[in-house]
Amino acid sequence: MHRSLHQVWLITLWLPLAASMMDIRNSSTDLVPIYRPYLSNLRQNPAIFSPYVGGQDWNMCCKLVVNESLVIQNDTLYIRPGQTFFTGTIETLEAFPRFPCGATYNGTLAAPHSQFWIPFSWCITHCPGWPATKVYDLEKWLKPMIAFILPSLIFCLNIPRRRQLELPARLFSNKSIDISGLPLFLLKLPLASFIITVDVIIWTCVVFSAASPMITSGIYEAILDARVMTYLESRVKENSISVREKAHMLLSVLIGNLDIEAWDSSRLFVRDLPGHCIHARYDDARIARRHTALSIQSQPVANTPTSSQANNTDTCNSPRSNATVNGFHQTSYSTKQLREISTIKLKLNAMLSSQVGFGTSVGAPVLFYIASYIWSVYEVREELGSYVTAHQLAAGMFWMTIPHIALVSCLLLAGNNPNIWQNAVAETLLAHGNRDLGGPPRSGSTDLESNHGGTGGDNSVELALNGQRTINQYKRFTSRIFDHIFTLAFKESVFKPASMWKRGSHKAMWIMKLGDEYPYLRNMREEVLENSLEKDLWTSSFYGWALYFVPTLFGIVVSYNTPRPGFGCRSIIMLAYVASQMFLQMLWLLRWYFYNNGERENISKFWSTVAKSTPTRYLWYFSFAFATFIAALSSIGGTIFSLTNVLTNCFCAIPARYWWDRWSNPEALVFVDDATYEQLYYAQKWWFPAGVAGVVFMTFVAYIGWWYQRSLRHRFHELVDQIDYISDINFHDEERRDVESIDPAGG
């Protein structure tokens, strides 16, 4: 009796469970019309041609996975018994009646979870290789090229360069084109276009690979420009700095990007300016100076004013001569000096104004770049879950580094074209016997330069020795080959601009030369350069780091969450680029810090000697070359891999945490269905916000660059107008005695 009651209790307990198990269906007839077209006549080998050169058909691989999980028999769709790829049920398939391969976003997050998973071993066995991008599939390769890559190539043209690929002059004949010369012209035109295209591509590779030194050096130069002008602004109404010193400082801001060999020409440019300081006797000194300017307008202007020996040797500590102008008894400039000052003012303002403005050179192109970027962000909202859209968005943020380099290079006051300076100083150089405008100084010009004081003669000898060493090096076969292929970008000019990654260090060397040339400006060199060296290097490094790290970080965020969360091939490529740029930036900082700071007390002689030794120098060059190679491989190579679809393969489809044990780890799975709930969720959570953040960041950087350059230009023009300012003096007892010691008559 007890046993029969126990059996009845068991039957009562399992009846509901048995009934529920009978309700679980393993088949469906409603899904047959959807799945039959895709599962009929499948190829067992999904590759169209060799999969290792791009012949794999990834969509066919997905269909094979579905076919391994589902089967159609007697007009009914069944789940194959014993299959392990499909993790869902017939109910979940019927809830979302669509074929999983190639599914798209339907406007809502209502989508099935990822249900078709295959182990890495099955994937690499049945679907090896990668699917090459089809030529007719324009959305995958032409769209990102037009939206991001081609605009970046245009931005590269605004970045200063020292050399470029030689374009033979014979390709551009000055003869008129007639019928007989038309075939030759048709051959020359594509050849010239090909050379220019290769040149731009090479320069783009260089810019993208060496982004961090370029940005850091440019920001460092901008900081030095601002410090020089701040120093002048704090002393412009004092009589401690002469007109010649002020003009030379402002001139160094404009041409400090040229090689230091242009220093002698800058000395000649300001040679005829007063080298002594002027004091006014009364509060109406500005009125007196205005009367002086009005009086010289009625006098004829000499062709080429020459300075006297007194003007060349006067300093701010030398005795000052008195002059009476329209009844105002003051210490003032002579008519000839005022004329020379006015000429230098016009030239300085003209040199700055002749440069292309920030908005014209890079501001307007940035707006077009941002517009195309906004469109890509909009497409993210319309095509959530699309791998193509996500990778294009990530590539756009990755390539945003190049516009940032262009923004930095165009906010600097020093022009990229040395012909502007050559035109401004040509008459002066010819007047002093330098016929070749930049050749070795003649004996006459050398004597003239030695009268300036400082170390002009020693510099000439040193430059001559360095020039001889350079000539000997150029005689080498490899150097001659290189010089023939890559010529100077401005070969018509005798002055050579520095490369973008050397501009900051060149500007610092010009400031050093100012301190060597003018004893009073040694205080300026300490205040502008030496005392704030560590702070300026850290500041320029931080802002430079932000300009290449932040956009790359946005790209990493998108790639990290595509197609599933975790580091993969694309995100690791971007990480490798960031790491290489940080290493290049560190190398640039260390070299410049020890080069400029090696003799100071806070650097031990041991480390200074080690840093300047030959093995360290070779180690630095090797490290720089290796980091540049990694940067080029990750930036240019990564972009090529993305456009050609090389990264769509079994290895890159699993997160990096499974790479080491991918053959044995049961969690090393690849899902093949598209537009699943997980993909749509992460796309909505990360893709669109990252895209919006990228647009906002680049817009902010462009505005800050425009504002900063406008501010520097305005300050520069004001300082130029005030280089001959004469401050008013209230005569206290001590000051009166000083004046009477110079002028016993007392006025």
Side-chain angles (χ1 to χ4, degrees):
M1 183 68 180
H2 178 73
R3 184 175 179 182
S4 61
L5 289 175
H6 180 69
Q7 292 177 350
V8 171
W9 180 81
L10 289 177
I11 294 173
T12 305
L13 180 65
W14 286 100
L15 270 177
L17 181 60
S20 62
M21 293 181 64
M22 293 296 294
D23 291 337
I24 298 177
R25 295 183 295 112
N26 195 35
S27 62
S28 172
T29 57
D30 298 334
L31 296 175
V32 173
I34 299 175
Y35 282 77
R36 188 190 296 275
Y38 297 98
L39 299 182
S40 301
N41 302 322
L42 293 179
R43 302 191 310 267
Q44 292 303 315
N45 183 11
I48 302 174
F49 51 91
S50 176
Y52 302 103
V53 293
Q56 187 59 265
D57 187 348
W58 196 254
N59 189 47
M60 181 60 66
C61 291
C62 178
K63 294 178 182 179
L64 289 178
V65 173
V66 176
N67 189 60
E68 292 282 338
S69 307
L70 307 175
V71 62
I72 298 177
Q73 293 179 352
N74 300 324
D75 293 332
T76 303
L77 182 70
Y78 295 94
I79 299 177
R80 289 182 183 271
Q83 63 82 32
T84 57
F85 297 163
F86 179 62
T87 59
T89 62
I90 288 293
E91 284 78 4
T92 59
L93 294 180
E94 290 182 338
F96 302 98
R98 64 177 190 176
F99 192 72
C101 302
T104 57
Y105 175 59
N106 60 3
T108 66
L109 293 182
H113 293 278
S114 301
Q115 302 177 106
F116 292 90
W117 298 81
I118 57 175
F120 174 80
S121 57
W122 189 95
C123 180
I124 202 67
T125 303
H126 295 81
C127 299
W130 52 280
T133 303
K134 305 298 188 296
V135 177
Y136 55 82
D137 197 354
L138 303 181
E139 185 179 1
K140 290 186 178 180
W141 66 273
L142 185 60
K143 180 180 174 182
M145 286 189 63
I146 295 177
F148 306 113
I149 298 177
L150 289 181
S152 298
L153 298 181
I154 304 302
F155 280 115
C156 287
L157 301 180
N158 289 322
I159 300 174
R161 56 190 302 189
R162 189 178 180 93
R163 291 185 176 272
Q164 63 184 10
L165 199 62
E166 172 68 13
L167 187 63
R170 70 190 70 175
L171 294 178
F172 302 93
S173 176
N174 57 357
K175 298 179 181 180
S176 59
I177 301 176
D178 52 13
I179 300 299
S180 60
L182 186 60
L184 185 60
F185 171 77
L186 295 178
L187 291 176
K188 290 181 177 180
L189 181 61
L191 180 59
S193 302
F194 174 77
I195 295 176
I196 293 296
T197 302
V198 172
D199 177 62
V200 173
I201 292 176
I202 292 176
W203 179 235
T204 303
C205 296
V206 173
V207 170
F208 213 168
S209 303
S212 62
M214 289 186 176
I215 296 177
T216 306
S217 181
I219 295 177
Y220 183 55
E221 179 182 356
I223 292 175
L224 292 180
D225 289 342
R227 287 197 178 276
V228 169
M229 286 188 283
T230 301
Y231 179 87
L232 274 177
E233 289 169 344
S234 64
R235 293 164 176 80
V236 70
K237 295 186 177 180
E238 300 177 1
N239 294 319
S240 56
I241 305 178
S242 66
V243 177
R244 184 190 303 163
E245 293 167 342
K246 295 176 185 177
H248 210 164
M249 290 173 66
L250 293 174
L251 179 63
S252 298
V253 171
L254 290 183
I255 66 171
N257 63 317
L258 301 180
D259 285 351
I260 201 64
E261 284 79 3
W263 173 259
D264 291 336
S265 62
S266 69
R267 294 171 60 197
L268 291 177
F269 183 78
V270 300
R271 175 184 174 85
D272 295 334
L273 292 175
H276 57 275
C277 297
I278 302 299
H279 292 270
R281 285 291 181 96
Y282 302 108
D283 293 338
D284 50 6
R286 284 188 292 271
I287 302 177
R289 206 167 76 249
R290 185 182 306 132
H291 285 199
T292 303
L294 293 174
S295 65
I296 68 172
Q297 290 181 0
S298 59
Q299 301 179 8
V301 181
N303 292 331
T304 306
T306 57
S307 62
S308 61
Q309 187 68 22
N311 285 340
N312 295 331
T313 57
D314 283 344
T315 64
C316 288
N317 298 322
S318 61
R320 302 166 180 84
S321 59
N322 296 334
T324 302
V325 181
N326 291 345
F328 295 93
H329 190 80
Q330 64 172 19
T331 303
S332 183
Y333 305 113
S334 66
T335 302
K336 187 194 309 181
Q337 291 172 342
L338 287 173
R339 185 180 296 113
E340 183 64 27
I341 291 172
S342 299
T343 302
I344 295 299
K345 282 184 177 182
L346 290 175
K347 289 186 176 181
L348 289 175
N349 285 325
M351 287 175 61
L352 180 58
S353 300
S354 62
Q355 300 175 18
V356 181
F358 183 87
T360 304
S361 59
V362 72
V366 163
L367 292 180
F368 285 100
Y369 188 91
I370 292 176
S372 64
Y373 192 85
I374 292 176
W375 179 257
S376 297
V377 174
Y378 171 77
E379 286 188 331
V380 168
R381 293 290 300 270
E382 297 297 319
E383 301 178 5
L384 285 181
S386 172
Y387 301 160
V388 176
T389 303
H391 296 324
Q392 289 176 358
L393 180 64
M397 289 183 282
F398 189 36
W399 278 77
M400 196 183 292
T401 303
I402 292 182
H404 285 166
I405 303 174
L407 287 170
V408 172
S409 66
C410 291
L411 66 84
L412 304 175
L413 293 185
N416 301 332
N417 189 353
N419 291 296
I420 297 176
W421 169 240
Q422 178 168 303
N423 181 59
V425 79
E427 184 179 357
T428 304
L429 290 176
L430 291 174
H432 288 83
N434 199 335
R435 299 296 177 185
D436 53 357
L437 294 179
R442 299 169 186 259
S443 57
S445 62
T446 303
D447 295 335
L448 287 173
E449 292 168 6
S450 63
N451 293 332
H452 280 275
T455 58
D458 296 339
N459 289 337
S460 301
V461 174
E462 182 180 355
L463 291 176
L465 293 176
N466 292 336
Q468 185 62 38
R469 296 192 191 100
T470 303
I471 293 174
N472 293 335
Q473 292 177 355
Y474 282 174
K475 289 182 179 179
R476 298 178 181 176
F477 178 76
T478 56
S479 298
R480 285 183 293 176
I481 292 289
F482 182 82
D483 292 339
H484 182 72
I485 298 176
F486 296 95
T487 60
L488 294 173
F490 298 95
K491 57 184 178 182
E492 297 83 4
S493 175
V494 298
F495 302 106
K496 302 175 181 61
S499 302
M500 187 62 193
W501 50 76
K502 292 184 178 180
R503 291 195 51 155
S505 57
H506 269 61
K507 182 61 66 70
M509 285 191 289
W510 276 77
I511 295 176
M512 292 180 189
K513 294 290 288 185
L514 286 172
D516 295 337
E517 181 75 16
Y518 306 102
Y520 183 79
L521 294 186
R522 293 172 185 171
N523 179 44
M524 182 274 299
R525 181 179 63 184
E526 295 177 357
E527 181 177 331
V528 172
L529 188 62
E530 297 176 358
N531 295 342
S532 58
L533 177 65
E534 293 85 356
K535 177 183 177 181
D536 291 344
L537 289 180
W538 278 111
T539 302
S540 58
S541 300
F542 174 76
Y543 289 124
W545 172 82
L547 289 182
Y548 69 81
F549 178 79
V550 172
T552 309
L553 176 64
F554 293 150
I556 292 175
V557 168
V558 174
S559 296
Y560 180 88
N561 294 281
T562 306
R564 55 189 291 196
F567 284 104
C569 293
R570 289 178 173 85
S571 54
I572 288 179
I573 285 175
M574 296 184 187
L575 279 177
Y577 177 78
V578 170
S580 64
Q581 293 305 312
M582 294 178 66
F583 188 65
L584 287 173
Q585 190 177 33
M586 182 187 67
L587 291 175
W588 185 91
L589 290 171
L590 289 176
R591 182 178 185 183
W592 175 238
Y593 180 79
F594 282 104
Y595 174 81
N596 182 57
N597 213 23
E599 301 300 331
R600 296 179 61 182
E601 296 179 357
N602 58 345
I603 300 293
S604 64
K605 293 184 178 180
F606 172 77
W607 289 112
S608 177
T609 303
V610 170
K612 296 180 180 180
S613 62
T614 301
T616 304
R617 188 181 301 113
Y618 280 109
L619 178 62
W620 187 93
Y621 281 117
F622 173 79
S623 301
F624 195 92
F626 177 76
T628 304
F629 171 76
I630 297 298
L633 185 63
S634 58
S635 59
I636 305 301
T639 301
I640 295 175
F641 292 159
S642 180
L643 291 178
T644 56
N645 217 19
V646 173
L647 301 179
T648 302
N649 55 69
C650 297
F651 182 80
C652 294
I654 60 176
R657 60 180 179 270
Y658 301 130
W659 285 355
W660 310 114
D661 56 348
R662 59 188 180 274
W663 294 97
S664 57
N665 193 332
E667 296 183 0
L669 301 175
V670 179
F671 71 89
V672 296
D673 37 354
D674 298 320
T676 62
Y677 174 79
E678 289 81 6
Q679 299 173 50
L680 298 178
Y681 171 77
Y682 288 113
Q684 188 180 57
K685 183 178 180 180
W686 296 109
W687 296 1
F688 183 75
V692 172
V695 171
V696 173
F697 182 76
M698 188 171 186
T699 304
F700 176 76
V701 171
Y703 173 77
I704 292 298
W706 172 74
W707 171 84
Y708 192 81
Q709 201 216 36
R710 293 283 296 180
S711 175
L712 290 182
R713 280 176 172 256
H714 180 71
R715 294 169 63 185
F716 184 90
H717 287 302
E718 284 189 341
L719 288 172
V720 169
D721 293 337
Q722 297 178 1
I723 59 173
D724 57 339
Y725 181 87
I726 303 176
S727 64
D728 303 330
I729 297 179
N730 296 322
F731 287 95
H732 301 291
D733 294 339
E734 184 176 354
E735 293 173 337
R736 188 182 300 277
R737 286 194 298 269
D738 293 339
V739 173
E740 290 177 352
S741 65
I742 298 175
D743 184 9

PDB file of all heavy atoms in Angstrom, residues 190-203:
ATOM      1  N   PRO A 190      50.236  61.884 -66.953  1.00  0.00           N
ATOM      2  CA  PRO A 190      50.045  60.851 -65.917  1.00  0.00           C
ATOM      3  C   PRO A 190      51.316  60.573 -65.125  1.00  0.00           C
ATOM      4  O   PRO A 190      51.250  60.243 -63.942  1.00  0.00           O
ATOM      5  CB  PRO A 190      49.588  59.626 -66.707  1.00  0.00           C
ATOM      6  CG  PRO A 190      50.038  59.867 -68.101  1.00  0.00           C
ATOM      7  CD  PRO A 190      50.001  61.342 -68.308  1.00  0.00           C
ATOM      8  N   LEU A 191      52.494  60.719 -65.778  1.00  0.00           N
ATOM      9  CA  LEU A 191      53.741  60.495 -65.056  1.00  0.00           C
ATOM     10  C   LEU A 191      53.940  61.550 -63.975  1.00  0.00           C
ATOM     11  O   LEU A 191      54.311  61.229 -62.830  1.00  0.00           O
ATOM     12  CB  LEU A 191      54.917  60.502 -66.032  1.00  0.00           C
ATOM     13  CG  LEU A 191      56.307  60.270 -65.404  1.00  0.00           C
ATOM     14  CD1 LEU A 191      56.346  58.931 -64.675  1.00  0.00           C
ATOM     15  CD2 LEU A 191      57.389  60.341 -66.477  1.00  0.00           C
ATOM     16  N   ALA A 192      53.686  62.810 -64.313  1.00  0.00           N
ATOM     17  CA  ALA A 192      53.802  63.874 -63.312  1.00  0.00           C
ATOM     18  C   ALA A 192      52.785  63.684 -62.194  1.00  0.00           C
ATOM     19  O   ALA A 192      53.097  63.869 -61.013  1.00  0.00           O
ATOM     20  CB  ALA A 192      53.619  65.237 -63.985  1.00  0.00           C
ATOM     21  N   SER A 193      51.578  63.306 -62.555  1.00  0.00           N
ATOM     22  CA  SER A 193      50.553  63.066 -61.537  1.00  0.00           C
ATOM     23  C   SER A 193      50.946  61.908 -60.629  1.00  0.00           C
ATOM     24  O   SER A 193      50.720  61.957 -59.414  1.00  0.00           O
ATOM     25  CB  SER A 193      49.208  62.770 -62.209  1.00  0.00           C
ATOM     26  OG  SER A 193      48.811  63.837 -63.052  1.00  0.00           O
ATOM     27  N   PHE A 194      51.549  60.883 -61.190  1.00  0.00           N
ATOM     28  CA  PHE A 194      51.984  59.746 -60.391  1.00  0.00           C
ATOM     29  C   PHE A 194      53.079  60.153 -59.401  1.00  0.00           C
ATOM     30  O   PHE A 194      53.050  59.751 -58.228  1.00  0.00           O
ATOM     31  CB  PHE A 194      52.488  58.636 -61.314  1.00  0.00           C
ATOM     32  CG  PHE A 194      53.092  57.467 -60.586  1.00  0.00           C
ATOM     33  CD1 PHE A 194      52.281  56.526 -59.962  1.00  0.00           C
ATOM     34  CD2 PHE A 194      54.466  57.304 -60.526  1.00  0.00           C
ATOM     35  CE1 PHE A 194      52.835  55.457 -59.280  1.00  0.00           C
ATOM     36  CE2 PHE A 194      55.031  56.240 -59.858  1.00  0.00           C
ATOM     37  CZ  PHE A 194      54.215  55.309 -59.224  1.00  0.00           C
ATOM     38  N   ILE A 195      54.039  60.961 -59.854  1.00  0.00           N
ATOM     39  CA  ILE A 195      55.119  61.403 -58.971  1.00  0.00           C
ATOM     40  C   ILE A 195      54.562  62.234 -57.816  1.00  0.00           C
ATOM     41  O   ILE A 195      54.945  62.060 -56.650  1.00  0.00           O
ATOM     42  CB  ILE A 195      56.174  62.183 -59.764  1.00  0.00           C
ATOM     43  CG1 ILE A 195      56.864  61.263 -60.782  1.00  0.00           C
ATOM     44  CG2 ILE A 195      57.205  62.813 -58.837  1.00  0.00           C
ATOM     45  CD1 ILE A 195      57.850  61.976 -61.683  1.00  0.00           C
ATOM     46  N   ILE A 196      53.654  63.146 -58.128  1.00  0.00           N
ATOM     47  CA  ILE A 196      53.059  63.975 -57.085  1.00  0.00           C
ATOM     48  C   ILE A 196      52.268  63.125 -56.098  1.00  0.00           C
ATOM     49  O   ILE A 196      52.328  63.324 -54.873  1.00  0.00           O
ATOM     50  CB  ILE A 196      52.161  65.055 -57.711  1.00  0.00           C
ATOM     51  CG1 ILE A 196      53.001  66.053 -58.514  1.00  0.00           C
ATOM     52  CG2 ILE A 196      51.360  65.770 -56.643  1.00  0.00           C
ATOM     53  CD1 ILE A 196      53.981  66.839 -57.676  1.00  0.00           C
ATOM     54  N   THR A 197      51.538  62.139 -56.617  1.00  0.00           N
ATOM     55  CA  THR A 197      50.757  61.270 -55.741  1.00  0.00           C
ATOM     56  C   THR A 197      51.657  60.474 -54.807  1.00  0.00           C
ATOM     57  O   THR A 197      51.389  60.371 -53.602  1.00  0.00           O
ATOM     58  CB  THR A 197      49.897  60.310 -56.581  1.00  0.00           C
ATOM     59  OG1 THR A 197      49.041  61.073 -57.438  1.00  0.00           O
ATOM     60  CG2 THR A 197      49.053  59.422 -55.686  1.00  0.00           C
ATOM     61  N   VAL A 198      52.737  59.924 -55.352  1.00  0.00           N
ATOM     62  CA  VAL A 198      53.678  59.175 -54.517  1.00  0.00           C
ATOM     63  C   VAL A 198      54.308  60.086 -53.470  1.00  0.00           C
ATOM     64  O   VAL A 198      54.495  59.693 -52.305  1.00  0.00           O
ATOM     65  CB  VAL A 198      54.756  58.516 -55.404  1.00  0.00           C
ATOM     66  CG1 VAL A 198      55.857  57.899 -54.550  1.00  0.00           C
ATOM     67  CG2 VAL A 198      54.137  57.456 -56.297  1.00  0.00           C
ATOM     68  N   ASP A 199      54.625  61.310 -53.868  1.00  0.00           N
ATOM     69  CA  ASP A 199      55.224  62.256 -52.932  1.00  0.00           C
ATOM     70  C   ASP A 199      54.274  62.551 -51.773  1.00  0.00           C
ATOM     71  O   ASP A 199      54.682  62.563 -50.609  1.00  0.00           O
ATOM     72  CB  ASP A 199      55.582  63.547 -53.668  1.00  0.00           C
ATOM     73  CG  ASP A 199      56.142  64.608 -52.734  1.00  0.00           C
ATOM     74  OD1 ASP A 199      57.202  64.360 -52.140  1.00  0.00           O
ATOM     75  OD2 ASP A 199      55.501  65.678 -52.601  1.00  0.00           O
ATOM     76  N   VAL A 200      53.009  62.796 -52.083  1.00  0.00           N
ATOM     77  CA  VAL A 200      52.031  63.087 -51.026  1.00  0.00           C
ATOM     78  C   VAL A 200      51.831  61.870 -50.122  1.00  0.00           C
ATOM     79  O   VAL A 200      51.729  62.003 -48.893  1.00  0.00           O
ATOM     80  CB  VAL A 200      50.692  63.541 -51.650  1.00  0.00           C
ATOM     81  CG1 VAL A 200      49.624  63.687 -50.577  1.00  0.00           C
ATOM     82  CG2 VAL A 200      50.870  64.843 -52.401  1.00  0.00           C
ATOM     83  N   ILE A 201      51.805  60.685 -50.706  1.00  0.00           N
ATOM     84  CA  ILE A 201      51.625  59.471 -49.898  1.00  0.00           C
ATOM     85  C   ILE A 201      52.816  59.262 -48.959  1.00  0.00           C
ATOM     86  O   ILE A 201      52.651  58.943 -47.777  1.00  0.00           O
ATOM     87  CB  ILE A 201      51.425  58.250 -50.812  1.00  0.00           C
ATOM     88  CG1 ILE A 201      50.082  58.358 -51.557  1.00  0.00           C
ATOM     89  CG2 ILE A 201      51.483  56.962 -50.012  1.00  0.00           C
ATOM     90  CD1 ILE A 201      49.849  57.253 -52.559  1.00  0.00           C
ATOM     91  N   ILE A 202      54.022  59.468 -49.485  1.00  0.00           N
ATOM     92  CA  ILE A 202      55.218  59.320 -48.646  1.00  0.00           C
ATOM     93  C   ILE A 202      55.189  60.318 -47.498  1.00  0.00           C
ATOM     94  O   ILE A 202      55.469  59.977 -46.337  1.00  0.00           O
ATOM     95  CB  ILE A 202      56.491  59.485 -49.496  1.00  0.00           C
ATOM     96  CG1 ILE A 202      56.635  58.322 -50.477  1.00  0.00           C
ATOM     97  CG2 ILE A 202      57.728  59.581 -48.604  1.00  0.00           C
ATOM     98  CD1 ILE A 202      57.808  58.464 -51.422  1.00  0.00           C
ATOM     99  N   TRP A 203      54.842  61.557 -47.812  1.00  0.00           N
ATOM    100  CA  TRP A 203      54.811  62.579 -46.765  1.00  0.00           C
ATOM    101  C   TRP A 203      53.716  62.281 -45.750  1.00  0.00           C
ATOM    102  O   TRP A 203      53.895  62.512 -44.546  1.00  0.00           O
ATOM    103  CB  TRP A 203      54.615  63.946 -47.389  1.00  0.00           C
ATOM    104  CG  TRP A 203      54.545  65.072 -46.399  1.00  0.00           C
ATOM    105  CD1 TRP A 203      53.560  65.990 -46.264  1.00  0.00           C
ATOM    106  CD2 TRP A 203      55.524  65.404 -45.410  1.00  0.00           C
ATOM    107  NE1 TRP A 203      53.845  66.864 -45.245  1.00  0.00           N
ATOM    108  CE2 TRP A 203      55.050  66.532 -44.706  1.00  0.00           C
ATOM    109  CE3 TRP A 203      56.747  64.846 -45.040  1.00  0.00           C
ATOM    110  CZ2 TRP A 203      55.756  67.112 -43.663  1.00  0.00           C
ATOM    111  CZ3 TRP A 203      57.451  65.427 -43.992  1.00  0.00           C
ATOM    112  CH2 TRP A 203      56.955  66.543 -43.325  1.00  0.00           C
TER     113      TRP A 203
END
